[in-house]
Amino acid sequence: MTENVVSFEEKRLAYGGEITITMNDGSGPPPQALAHLGNVLSNYEQVLFDQIASLEHELEMLDSPPDEDED
């Protein structure tokens, strides 16, 4: 059985899009609105990356044989 493995970085680069911010009155966004959004998304990406790393470690632990020293 062949397993297709795609790294987190490859998955991240596979998506693209555009974010548009429009104020209720139709004007453009405040100067720092996109900077704040970028920080929020960056923090969210880090949380996801940490969670993926934790799950990958857990999977490795489940796949590895038990230590002989543990009784």
Side-chain angles (χ1 to χ4, degrees):
M1 180 171 150
T2 303
E3 186 175 331
N4 292 330
V5 178
V6 178
S7 72
F8 176 69
E9 188 68 21
E10 288 174 305
K11 287 180 184 176
R12 187 174 73 105
L13 295 174
Y15 300 102
E18 184 176 307
I19 296 173
T20 304
I21 297 176
T22 304
M23 307 311 288
N24 289 338
D25 64 2
S27 65
Q32 295 300 318
L34 293 178
H36 176 69
L37 179 60
N39 287 337
V40 169
L41 292 175
S42 179
N43 291 340
Y44 183 67
E45 179 185 35
Q46 185 61 48
V47 168
L48 289 176
F49 185 77
D50 292 345
Q51 183 66 29
I52 289 169
S54 175
L55 291 171
E56 286 176 345
H57 175 73
E58 204 174 305
L59 183 60
E60 286 176 14
M61 297 303 291
L62 290 171
D63 286 343
S64 65
D67 290 339
E68 294 292 329
D69 296 340
E70 293 181 18
D71 289 330

